[in-house]
Amino acid sequence: MTATPPRVSLRLHGHPADVAVTLTALRGLFPHAAVSRTYRDRTGGRVRIYLTTPRP
């Protein structure tokens, strides 16, 4: 029995410049991944972005 590959979700959390650099690198590896909107921390200064790869 062959299972479908899992859907992968990554959470990027950190300072906006660091998240942007990491997101750029991951978009090169996963060009068809969906990127969420930016979520800001309540304390400020950090952001969260979710990157989700679709199932083939």
Side-chain angles (χ1 to χ4, degrees):
M1 185 167 118
T2 303
T4 59
R7 185 173 163 174
V8 177
S9 294
L10 301 171
R11 180 180 79 160
L12 306 177
H13 182 247
H15 294 285
D18 297 335
V19 170
V21 168
T22 305
L23 182 62
T24 300
L26 288 173
R27 291 290 287 166
L29 294 172
F30 305 105
H32 300 292
V35 179
S36 73
R37 68 176 180 88
T38 301
Y39 297 93
R40 299 212 175 265
D41 277 354
R42 292 179 193 166
T43 57
R46 292 184 171 222
V47 296
R48 269 188 338 258
I49 293 179
Y50 296 92
L51 182 80
T52 305
T53 60
R55 288 189 175 145

